[in-house]
């Protein structure tokens, strides 16, 4: 097997050999570059000087050419040649190409002058390098004027610049040799000082290779080795940075694959960002997105912000404060403390600084990530790059999540539209039936009921007949109740709106139901909040809703039980609080709305889970055998919907029974 002959040479000697070769090659290259650069520079200077001289002669000779004063032209040429020792010759050609004056001497024959550098009619001047008995000459050919055809030729000798270049090259070569020897000696001395720190570096590199990223090299010298050690430590920190950043990015990608709500994903992603150990962040931050208002940032997730901060920063216009400026400019905004850039102020604001990072997707700003730093924190390019890398990934996930939500919303809207169409068809049928039933069924039922009551008075001695008549009376009254419910259902079209307070409405409905509660052994417990913001409702119809809900609760507890009724107001911050809460145009309630809530809980047997979705359908009832018509909840929901509110029915999570929640929008914030 072939062995590298250099393998037997020590690292120190290999370094010496390599250093000598490198310094020699570099020195040689420097000498060649200097030679080339100097020659080009001097040649360029010679050309520019020749062009300048030709222009001066052209300007001074124009008049004398027109007067055919060749004597003055000859004197001008010879005088100009004496002024610059690099001028080899000057000659002037007339329109026919004949030499009028010249200073050739023995350089060029006059007969060949006009052919050495032919000037095109469209050129300001022409430069050509020619060889003469005295060496290379730059010939500059220039027309006397734009109108004339006479041409001035000035020849600039290159011998001087070649001699100066050789002299400089000789001096530089000697200097390079001296530098080479000095460097070689210095390398020998430096090697002994380098080897020990290098050994430390090698040991640290091996440790890092084993995954020990906490390892650092303790070399504090101010020389290159100290710089190398510092660079090594910085590199390990950079590896840690990339590692932690990648872990955060991976965790966000994993979060995006989980079946979580969009706001929950944003909240958890924000917490992951704030938990990066080397980012000197406080545990405070927020994610803002552009939503329904195109030039307004809306806060969608936050961590550690006070209520006053949330209220002040809930919506930020484009270009206002640091967040708005980051969205407007598309650039990271940093501030080490609260200064004039903090346009939004609020009570009890604590000292802090900010990184505000725009969230970009395909060159479009979709939001801003804001993280807090301690007051006086110094800006770090590394921190900015990390946050930008994270927001780049976050932007893609946000767009995908929003697309998924939009698709889900479209599906739910389609499903809701289908359900509404079915319900509308049912209600149309009910409406058409109601008008006919009112005339065709209600009046005959009244006649039958009157006849049954009359027969009851006549035949009250016969028990069997009385039993049959009683059953007939109950059946007729049940049919009459169904017809009344149908008529009530079909008549709900207009509202008589007044300003009311929810707790007062509920209290009045409870008073109306006192006898029913007492008769059915129902214990009522209330928690009615005072000073709830007012709501706009039709008092009679809302009273009808609560009476119906209380009656359902009584019927659900035939053996008696406890009815808990509470009212309160709250501001909506989370879309998971109620169905229909969000930021979309079709949502019943918006994030930030203040709502008045009434909750009714019983201790009955509950409702089978498979029928919960059918409770609001007309004619659906779980009490068919006990006289239920299936219209009470349908009418109640119809009334609540007309008020822009919502009603939710669910089984209690703890214990037995049902919980009914009724939600209304309030006139002002809580």
């Amino acid at each position: 097997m072939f062995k590298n002959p250099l393998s037997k040479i020590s690292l120190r000697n290999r370094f010496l050999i390599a250093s000598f070769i490198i310094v020699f090659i570099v020195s040689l290259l420097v000498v060649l570059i200097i030679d080339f650069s100097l020659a080009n520079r001097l040649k360029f200077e010679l050309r520019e000087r020749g062009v300048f001289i030709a222009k001066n002669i052209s300007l001074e000779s124009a008049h004398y050419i027109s007067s055919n004063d060749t004597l003055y032209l000859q004197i001008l040429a010879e005088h100009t040649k004496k002024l610059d020792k690099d001028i080899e010759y000057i000659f002037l050609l007339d329109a026919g190409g004949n030499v009028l004056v010249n200073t050739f001497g023995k350089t060029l024959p006059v007969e060949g002058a006009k052919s050495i550098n032919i000037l095109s009619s469209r050129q300001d001047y022409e430069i050509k390098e020619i060889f003469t008995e005295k060496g290379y000459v730059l010939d500059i050919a220039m027309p006397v004027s734009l109108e004339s055809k006479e041409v001035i030729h000035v020849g600039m000798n290159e011998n001087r610049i070649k001699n100066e270049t050789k002299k400089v090259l000789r001096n530089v070569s000697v200097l390079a040799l001296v530098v080479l020897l000095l460097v070689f000696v210095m390398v020998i001395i430096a090697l002994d000082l380098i080897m020990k720190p290098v050994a430390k570096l090698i040991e640290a590199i091996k440790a890092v290779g084993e995954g020990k990223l906490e390892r650092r090299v303790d070399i504090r010298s101010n020389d290159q080795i100290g710089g190398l050690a510092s660079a090594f430590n910085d590199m390990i920190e950079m590896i840690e940075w990339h590692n932690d950043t990648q872990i955060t990015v991976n965790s966000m990608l994993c979060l995006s694959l989980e079946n979580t709500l969009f706001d929950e994903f944003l909240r958890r992603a924000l917490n992951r960002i704030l938990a990066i150990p080397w980012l000197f962040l406080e545990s405070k931050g927020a994610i803002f997105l552009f939503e329904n208002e195109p030039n307004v940032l809306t806060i969608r997730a936050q961590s550690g912000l006070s209520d006053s901060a949330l209220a002040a920063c809930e919506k930020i216009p484009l270009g206002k404060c640091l967040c708005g400026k980051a969205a407007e400019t598309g650039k990271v905004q940093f501030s080490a403390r609260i200064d004039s850039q903090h346009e939004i102020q609020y009570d009890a604001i604590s000292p802090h600084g900010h990184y505000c990072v725009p969230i970009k997707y395909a060159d479009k700003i979709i939001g801003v990530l804001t993280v807090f730093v301690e007051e006086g924190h110094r800006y770090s390019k590394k921190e900015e790059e990390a946050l930008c890398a994270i927001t780049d990934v976050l932007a893609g996930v946000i767009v995908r999540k929003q697309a998924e939500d939009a698709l889900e919303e479209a599906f739910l809207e389609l499903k809701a539209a289908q359900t509404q169409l079915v319900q509308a068809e049912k209600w149309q049928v009910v409406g058409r039936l109601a008008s006919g039933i009112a005339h065709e069924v209600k009046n005959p039922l009244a006649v039958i009921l009157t006849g049954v009551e009359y027969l009851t008075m006549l035949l009250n001695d016969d028990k069997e007949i009385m039993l049959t008549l009683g059953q007939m009376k109950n059946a007729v009254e049940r049919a009459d109740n169904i017809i009344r419910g149908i008529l009530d259902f079909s008549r709900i079209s207009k509202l008589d709106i007044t300003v009311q307070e929810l707790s007062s409405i509920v209290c009045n409905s409870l008073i109306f139901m006192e006898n029913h509660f007492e008769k059915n052994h129902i214990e009522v417990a209330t928690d009615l909040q005072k000073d709830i913001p007012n709501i706009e409702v039709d008092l009679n119809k809302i009273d009808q809703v609560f009476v119906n809900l209380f009656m359902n609760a009584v019927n659900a507890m035939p053996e008696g039980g406890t009815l808990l009724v509470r009212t309160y107001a709250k501001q909506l911050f989370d879309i998971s609080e109620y169905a229909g809460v969000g930021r979309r145009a079709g949502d019943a309630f918006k994030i930030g709305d203040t709502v008045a809530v009434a909750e009714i809980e019983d201790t009955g047997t509950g409702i089978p889970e498979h029928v919960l979705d059918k409770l609001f359908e007309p004619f659906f009832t779980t009490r068919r055998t006990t006289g239920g018509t299936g219209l009470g909840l349908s009418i109640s929901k119809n009334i609540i919907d007309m008020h822009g509110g919502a009603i939710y029915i669910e089984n209690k999570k703890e214990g037995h029974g049902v919980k009914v929640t009724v939600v209304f929008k309030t006139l002002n914030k809580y």
Side-chain angles (χ1 to χ4, degrees):
M1 183 180 293
F2 175 76
K3 292 185 178 181
N4 186 353
L6 295 177
S7 61
K8 295 182 179 180
I9 303 175
S10 66
L11 176 62
R12 179 178 180 278
N13 292 335
R14 273 187 280 177
F15 198 94
L16 283 173
I17 295 171
S19 299
F20 179 81
I21 294 173
I22 291 172
V23 173
F24 176 77
I25 293 173
V26 170
S27 300
L28 181 61
L29 289 175
V30 169
V31 170
L32 294 176
I33 291 171
I34 291 174
D35 177 50
F36 179 77
S37 300
L38 182 61
N40 283 345
R41 179 61 187 171
L42 292 175
K43 191 171 184 179
F44 175 78
E45 180 187 359
L46 188 68
R47 289 177 57 175
E48 292 298 305
R49 191 149 38 93
V51 171
F52 178 75
I53 292 169
K55 285 182 180 179
N56 286 339
I57 295 174
S58 297
L59 293 173
E60 293 187 26
S61 62
H63 170 71
Y64 298 100
I65 290 174
S66 62
S67 61
N68 200 23
D69 189 350
T70 56
L71 178 59
Y72 179 81
L73 293 173
Q74 183 68 38
I75 294 172
L76 176 63
E78 291 177 355
H79 177 72
T80 303
K81 184 176 182 299
K82 291 178 181 179
L83 293 177
D84 194 322
K85 60 183 178 180
D86 288 330
I87 297 176
E88 185 64 30
Y89 60 79
I90 298 173
F91 67 90
L92 173 64
L93 298 178
D94 61 12
N98 300 312
V99 178
L100 291 179
V101 295
N102 71 86
T103 62
F104 284 143
K106 296 181 180 180
T107 304
L108 285 172
V110 174
E111 291 77 13
K114 63 181 180 180
S115 62
I116 62 174
N117 187 10
I118 299 174
L119 178 67
S120 173
S121 60
R122 296 184 178 181
Q123 289 180 292
D124 292 335
Y125 59 87
E126 178 69 31
I127 300 176
K128 184 177 181 181
E129 189 176 51
I130 61 176
F131 183 75
T132 69
E133 293 177 358
K134 295 184 178 181
Y136 284 97
V137 175
L138 287 178
D139 184 82
I140 296 98
M142 180 178 294
V144 174
S145 65
L146 296 176
E147 295 79 12
S148 66
K149 296 183 179 180
E150 290 81 3
V151 179
I152 293 292
H153 284 262
V154 177
M156 304 298 291
N157 197 309
E158 296 182 5
N159 288 338
R160 185 179 64 84
I161 64 174
K162 292 183 180 296
N163 293 333
E164 289 185 5
T165 302
K166 290 179 181 179
K167 186 187 298 183
V168 171
L169 181 62
R170 185 168 54 251
N171 294 335
V172 171
S173 299
V174 173
L175 179 63
L177 181 60
V178 173
V179 170
L180 177 64
L181 294 175
L182 289 176
V183 169
F184 189 70
V185 173
M186 291 174 64
V187 168
I188 294 175
I189 297 172
L191 277 175
D192 293 333
L193 300 175
I194 292 174
M195 295 311 296
K196 288 184 179 179
V198 167
K200 290 184 179 180
L201 281 171
I202 293 173
E203 184 181 351
I205 290 171
K206 289 180 179 179
V208 171
E210 296 172 356
K212 300 175 182 178
L213 296 180
E214 71 281 358
R215 182 65 179 269
R216 297 292 185 272
V217 180
D218 186 17
I219 299 175
R220 302 182 182 181
S221 60
N222 294 324
D223 54 17
Q224 288 82 357
I225 295 298
L228 181 62
S230 177
F232 175 82
N233 293 334
D234 291 341
M235 181 187 69
I236 300 305
E237 289 181 3
M238 188 62 68
I239 292 173
E240 282 189 298
W241 170 69
H242 281 293
N243 186 52
D244 290 337
T245 302
Q246 192 60 47
I247 290 174
T248 303
V249 168
N250 291 341
S251 67
M252 285 195 297
L253 292 174
C254 292
L255 280 176
S256 69
L257 298 177
E258 296 180 9
N259 187 21
T260 57
L261 293 173
F262 183 49
D263 283 343
E264 175 64 14
F265 161 75
L266 291 178
R267 185 188 64 79
R268 292 172 65 182
L270 177 62
N271 288 337
R272 297 286 176 90
I273 295 170
L274 297 177
I276 297 177
W278 51 264
L279 275 177
F280 298 100
L281 307 177
E282 295 187 351
S283 298
K284 293 181 181 180
I287 295 176
F288 295 85
L289 297 179
F290 287 113
E291 295 188 319
N292 297 328
E293 300 176 83
N295 292 324
V296 177
L297 289 167
T298 303
I299 193 167
R300 288 299 302 268
Q302 62 86 21
S303 177
L305 299 187
S306 63
D307 292 340
S308 55
L310 283 174
C313 301
E314 180 184 358
K315 292 183 180 294
I316 299 179
L318 187 67
K320 187 172 185 179
C321 207
L322 290 172
C323 297
K325 290 175 182 175
E328 183 179 46
T329 62
K331 297 180 180 179
V332 176
Q333 301 293 316
F334 172 79
S335 178
R337 56 186 51 82
I338 300 173
D339 52 21
S340 58
Q341 298 182 79
H342 285 72
E343 300 175 44
I344 298 177
Q345 303 280 336
Y346 48 87
D347 294 337
I349 185 171
S350 59
H352 66 273
H354 271 306
Y355 277 107
C356 296
V357 187
I359 303 174
K360 300 180 184 179
Y361 183 80
D363 296 328
K364 180 182 179 182
I365 307 298
I366 62 174
V368 172
L369 168 66
T370 297
V371 293
F372 284 55
V373 295
E374 293 182 357
E375 184 179 34
H377 179 78
R378 296 182 63 183
Y379 166 82
S380 168
K381 184 68 174 177
K382 183 175 70 173
E383 291 177 347
E384 178 181 332
E385 290 175 352
L387 292 171
C388 287
I390 291 169
T391 53
D392 286 344
V393 176
L394 184 62
V397 177
I398 287 174
V399 171
R400 182 172 65 81
K401 280 282 190 181
Q402 287 177 332
E404 291 175 354
D405 286 354
L407 183 62
E408 183 179 2
E409 179 184 356
F411 172 74
L412 293 176
E413 287 178 354
L414 182 62
K415 185 177 179 181
Q418 182 183 23
T419 303
Q420 289 175 359
L421 287 174
V422 174
Q423 290 293 94
E425 184 64 26
K426 289 182 180 180
W427 292 343
Q428 287 178 4
V429 172
V430 170
R432 288 194 297 268
L433 287 175
S435 60
I437 290 172
H439 298 287
E440 302 297 333
V441 179
K442 187 170 179 60
N443 291 337
L445 284 178
V447 174
I448 294 172
L449 184 60
T450 302
V452 169
E453 290 176 349
Y454 177 72
L455 290 175
T456 300
M457 289 187 295
L458 292 179
L459 305 173
N460 56 9
D461 294 334
D462 193 326
K463 293 183 179 180
E464 291 184 3
I465 293 176
M466 289 297 294
L467 180 61
T468 301
L469 290 174
Q471 292 173 348
M472 290 175 62
K473 182 179 179 181
N474 291 336
V476 171
E477 288 177 344
R478 182 172 179 275
D480 187 62
N481 288 335
I482 292 174
I483 293 170
R484 289 178 184 275
I486 292 174
L487 290 174
D488 289 341
F489 187 80
S490 63
R491 287 171 184 164
I492 301 174
S493 59
K494 295 183 179 180
L495 299 176
D496 182 16
I497 296 296
T498 58
V499 176
Q500 301 292 333
E501 199 269 332
L502 181 60
S503 294
S504 298
I505 298 173
V506 172
C507 185
N508 291 334
S509 299
L510 288 171
I511 293 173
F512 179 79
M513 291 289 296
E514 280 183 349
N515 291 334
H516 291 276
F517 295 147
E518 184 177 351
K519 179 180 177 181
N520 290 276
H521 309 291
I522 305 298
E523 182 180 348
V524 179
T526 60
D527 180 13
L528 306 181
Q529 182 178 330
K530 297 180 180 180
D531 301 325
I532 293 178
N534 291 333
I535 57 177
E536 289 185 327
V537 294
D538 184 322
L539 181 59
N540 291 330
K541 287 184 170 56
I542 295 300
D543 186 62
Q544 178 185 349
V545 169
F546 283 112
V547 169
N548 180 62
L549 295 176
F550 293 150
M551 286 296 298
N552 286 346
V554 170
N555 293 328
M557 298 181 287
E559 304 298 326
T562 301
L563 180 69
L564 174 61
V565 183
R566 69 169 64 90
T567 60
Y568 56 90
K570 65 181 297 186
Q571 191 171 7
L572 300 176
F573 289 111
D574 193 342
I575 63 173
S576 63
E577 293 184 78
Y578 301 111
V581 178
R583 295 178 172 85
R584 300 182 291 257
D587 291 327
F589 305 102
K590 302 293 188 296
I591 296 296
D593 283 351
T594 298
V595 294
V597 183
E599 294 179 352
I600 303 168
E601 297 183 11
D602 63 53
T603 55
T605 56
I607 301 172
E609 292 292 333
H610 67 279
V611 302
L612 281 173
D613 293 338
K614 302 178 181 179
L615 291 178
F616 297 115
E617 294 182 5
F619 304 111
F620 179 82
T621 179
T622 58
R623 298 189 297 106
R624 185 74 64 187
T625 58
T626 58
T629 64
L631 289 172
L633 287 177
S634 297
I635 293 172
S636 297
K637 187 177 188 309
N638 198 9
I639 292 173
I640 296 298
D641 289 344
M642 290 177 68
H643 284 81
I647 181 170
Y648 310 96
I649 299 179
E650 60 183 340
N651 288 314
K652 293 195 300 186
K653 294 180 175 58
E654 297 182 1
H656 298 289
V658 172
K659 176 182 177 181
V660 181
T661 305
V662 183
V663 185
F664 298 94
K665 292 181 182 178
T666 62
L667 291 178
N668 48 22
K669 289 192 175 183
Y670 184 56

